[in-house]
Amino acid sequence: MGNFLDKLLQFYSMSYEEYDSLRSDVTKKTIPDFSHFKDIEKIKDYFFEVKKLNKKVYIYGDYDCDGIMSTSIMSLLFDHFRINHDYYIPLRDKDGYGLTKDNIDKIKKKGYDIILCVDNGITLKDEVDYANSIGVDVVIFDHHPLDVDNIPNAKFILHPTYSNFGPINLSAGAVCFYFSWCMLGFIDDYLLVLGMISLISDMMELRSYNHDLVKLGLKILNVSRYKNLVLLAENAINFNETTISLKIAPKVNAIGRIVLTKENKRIVQYFKNINTFTTAEEYEWINYINSLRKQLVNEFVFNKDDYNDKTSICLFKSDIEEGLCGLIANNVLSTANKPSVVLCEDSNDPSILKGSIRSKNGFDINEFFDECGELLVRHGGHAQAAGLAIRKDDLTKFEEKLEDFALSHPFNSNVSDFVEIDENEINMENLNILNSFAPFGIGLNLPLFKISNFPVSKFNFMKGGKHLNYMNWSTGGKIVYFNFDQSILGLETITLYGKMALNVYNNRKSVQIIVEKIEKI
C-alpha cells in the first residue's frame, strides 16, 4: 500500500520538496513582509500625518470574529501611537453589514475626520462617495471579493487582491496585522496572534504564507499564553487550530449574534485587556452570551424527514433573531447534507427577509448569487458561508432558483477525499508524521482515513453497549466507533472512515481512529 508519508503526499498532491518546506520551522524572518502590499507605506505616512494634525479616526468594524480581531488590532495600534480614535462594532439587526450612510452622518456629527473600515468597505462605492461629499475620508482594510469596475473612491485601500499582496486571500485581521508591522517597524507578537485567530475563524485557505502565519501564531501563543486567550480556550494545555476554531472563535462570534446593544464593544475591550484584572469578569460575560447562543440554537426544531426526498435543499423562514440564522443553517447543513438557508424578517423593514446560507464543495454560494440577479437586496460572504437579504415577495422565486442551482451543482465527494491504510498503521510514529503537516484547515484538510474489510468480530462493546472499540495490542492503536449502527453486528466485515487523533487517558497516550462513517460490505 506504500508508506504512510507517501500516502499523505499523494493525498495533498505535494512533492517531497514542498513537504520539507511546509514542515520547516517558521520564524518572523521567514514570513513575507508588509512591503508586498502596494501603497502600504503611503497609508502609514497618512496615519502619522493624522496623528500630527490630531485628526480623529473612527474604526468601523464588523460583528464576526475576523471583524473583532481587526478592530482590536487597529485600536491597540492607535493606542500605541496615541492617535485620537474610537471604534464601533455594528449591530447586526440595526446596522446590517458594512458602513451605512446614516452612520456616516452620525460619525460626522461626532467630529470624526476619518472612517477606517475594517473587514468591510470594498463593495461600498455609494457610501464612500457620500462620505467624500461631506468631507469625511474613508480608508478601507478589507479582504472580501471586489468588483474591479466598482472600486470605492476611498482615500486608501489595503486589500490582498487590490494591493497585489499575493495569490491567496488573507483575512481582514491578517491585513491589519501586516499594517501594524509596517507602522511599528517590527512584529508585535500579540497582534500577530490576533491576526492568526482571524485566519482560522474566517476559514481562509491555509496554504503558503497563511499556513506559515498560523503556524507561527500558534507557536507564539503556546509560549506566551495570554491570559484572555487562555480563558477563552478553557485553560487549554496546548493551542492548535482546533482550539481556535472550536473554543475561541464561537465565543467571539456569539457576541455579534446575540448582543444587540452597544454593549457589544466589550468584546473588543476584552482583547485589548490582555492580562488585566478585568479579564476574568469580562470572560464570565462572554461565557454567558455563548451559553445563551447554544440554548437558542438548540430550541430550533428541524425535522430532517421533511427534506429527505422532497427537495434538494433546506429553506426555513423563522421568527428567530438574525444572528442565529447562520448557526442554525450550519446545523441543518450537517444534518441534512443539503444547501441550507435560514431567513427571518428584517426588524427595520417587514417586507425584507434576511439570513444565512451554508453549503459544501460543489455548490459555490457566490456563483449562486451571480445567478440570482435582482432577487438579492444585499449579500456577502464566502463560497460556503454567506449572508443575504431578499424581498419577501420574491421568496418563491428565490427558492426555485436555489433548487435549480442545487440540482445542477451537487456536493462533491470524490475518491481523493480519503487516505487508505490498514489497522497496523494506526500508531504514534504515523500520528507524528500526520501532525508534521499541521496546522490543518481549508486547502490542507485533516484527512479521512479508510480501512477496508475490517472484521466486525474484532470490536468489543464499550460501557453501556452504545459504542464499540478495538485495540491493536501490537501497535497500541485503537479504533473507536461511537453510537454505532447496530445492523453491522450481523456482518462479517465493513469499511471504516475516520480521523486519526491522540487519546490521553490516565496520563497514558495512544493513537486512535474515530469512526465517522462506514460502508457495509
Side-chain angles (χ1 to χ4, degrees), residues 257-294:
R257 297 181 187 280
I258 302 297
V259 181
L260 304 179
T261 68
K262 292 181 181 180
E263 189 183 31
N264 66 358
K265 290 184 68 173
R266 292 173 65 182
I267 188 64
V268 174
Q269 199 59 44
Y270 182 83
F271 287 101
K272 292 182 65 176
N273 292 340
I274 303 171
N275 290 302
T276 67
F277 69 93
T278 61
T279 301
E281 179 183 342
E282 292 297 311
Y283 171 70
E284 292 302 322
W285 171 71
I286 295 169
N287 221 25
Y288 165 74
I289 299 299
N290 190 49
S291 299
L292 181 60
R293 183 263 303 177
K294 292 178 181 178

Side-chain angles (χ1 to χ4, degrees), residues 8-70:
L8 292 176
L9 293 178
Q10 183 177 359
F11 175 78
Y12 291 121
S13 300
M14 190 179 296
S15 67
Y16 281 103
E17 291 77 14
E18 289 169 327
Y19 170 64
D20 284 339
S21 176
L22 182 79
R23 71 192 182 106
S24 62
D25 188 35
V26 179
T27 69
K28 294 177 182 179
K29 293 181 179 180
T30 59
I31 60 174
D33 68 39
F34 60 83
S35 64
H36 291 265
F37 278 100
K38 179 185 69 176
D39 292 338
I40 194 170
E41 294 277 4
K42 293 180 181 178
I43 305 173
K44 176 192 74 173
D45 293 342
Y46 169 78
F47 277 110
F48 279 137
E49 184 68 13
V50 165
K51 169 183 167 59
K52 180 180 177 181
L53 298 175
N54 197 30
K55 290 186 176 182
K56 296 174 67 177
V57 183
Y58 201 79
I59 304 171
Y60 197 95
D62 189 28
Y63 39 67
D64 70 355
C65 187
D66 188 18
I68 300 299
M69 296 303 105
S70 304

Side-chain angles (χ1 to χ4, degrees), residues 181-195:
W181 183 359
C182 180
M183 279 202 79
L184 292 167
F186 62 88
I187 291 176
D188 180 276
D189 284 356
Y190 182 68
L191 300 186
L192 187 151
V193 167
L194 295 188

Side-chain angles (χ1 to χ4, degrees), residues 110-294:
K110 290 180 179 178
Y112 288 88
D113 308 286
I114 301 115
I115 299 174
L116 171 60
C117 292
V118 293
D119 199 26
N120 74 96
I122 200 62
T123 62
L124 303 178
K125 190 175 187 301
D126 291 344
E127 288 79 3
V128 172
D129 285 345
Y130 178 72
N132 291 336
S133 73
I134 62 172
V136 176
D137 282 356
V138 178
V139 179
I140 296 171
F141 289 3
D142 201 0
H143 73 126
H144 288 95
L146 52 82
D147 180 352
V148 293
D149 296 323
N150 288 287
I151 300 297
N153 186 28
K155 186 74 174 179
F156 291 103
I157 295 174
L158 201 62
H159 183 287
T161 304
Y162 179 83
S163 307
N164 301 324
F165 180 80
I168 301 171
N169 197 12
L170 294 165
S171 61
V175 172
C176 292
F177 154 69
Y178 268 109
F179 184 70
S180 76
W181 183 359
C182 180
M183 279 202 79
L184 292 167
F186 62 88
I187 291 176
D188 180 276
D189 284 356
Y190 182 68
L191 300 186
L192 187 151
V193 167
L194 295 188
M196 174 272 294
I197 291 173
S198 73
L199 281 166
I200 295 174
S201 69
D202 227 40
M203 297 185 292
M204 293 294 100
E205 194 173 0
L206 291 194
R207 293 192 297 115
S208 186
Y209 42 80
N210 279 354
H211 187 271
D212 289 347
L213 275 172
V214 171
K215 191 173 182 178
L216 179 57
L218 290 170
K219 183 166 71 171
I220 291 170
L221 181 53
N222 276 301
V223 173
S224 300
R225 296 188 64 80
Y226 303 108
K227 179 180 176 182
N228 55 350
L229 300 181
V230 170
L231 280 174
L232 282 182
E234 299 164 15
N235 296 310
I237 296 173
N238 178 62
F239 283 90
N240 56 31
E241 62 275 23
T242 304
T243 316
I244 305 301
S245 61
L246 296 185
K247 292 187 176 181
I248 292 181
K251 294 184 179 75
V252 180
N253 282 324
I255 304 302
R257 297 181 187 280
I258 302 297
V259 181
L260 304 179
T261 68
K262 292 181 181 180
E263 189 183 31
N264 66 358
K265 290 184 68 173
R266 292 173 65 182
I267 188 64
V268 174
Q269 199 59 44
Y270 182 83
F271 287 101
K272 292 182 65 176
N273 292 340
I274 303 171
N275 290 302
T276 67
F277 69 93
T278 61
T279 301
E281 179 183 342
E282 292 297 311
Y283 171 70
E284 292 302 322
W285 171 71
I286 295 169
N287 221 25
Y288 165 74
I289 299 299
N290 190 49
S291 299
L292 181 60
R293 183 263 303 177
K294 292 178 181 178

Side-chain angles (χ1 to χ4, degrees), residues 315 322 325 340-344 346 352-358 365 368-369 372 375-381 385-391 395 398 402:
L315 187 147
E322 182 197 353
C325 289
S340 302
V341 177
V342 179
L343 301 169
C344 64
D346 189 325
I352 299 294
L353 295 173
K354 57 184 182 178
S356 298
I357 178 171
R358 298 292 185 267
I365 293 173
F368 167 64
F369 283 163
C372 286
L375 293 180
L376 295 169
V377 176
R378 296 184 299 276
H379 67 278
L388 72 154
I390 62 173
R391 286 172 287 273
L395 179 59
F398 175 82
L402 182 64

Side-chain angles (χ1 to χ4, degrees), residues 396-416:
T396 300
K397 292 179 183 178
F398 175 82
E399 187 168 7
E400 290 171 354
K401 288 268 190 184
L402 182 64
E403 179 81 33
D404 290 344
F405 193 87
L407 288 170
S408 58
H409 296 80
F411 291 160
N412 290 338
S413 181
N414 53 50
V415 293
S416 65

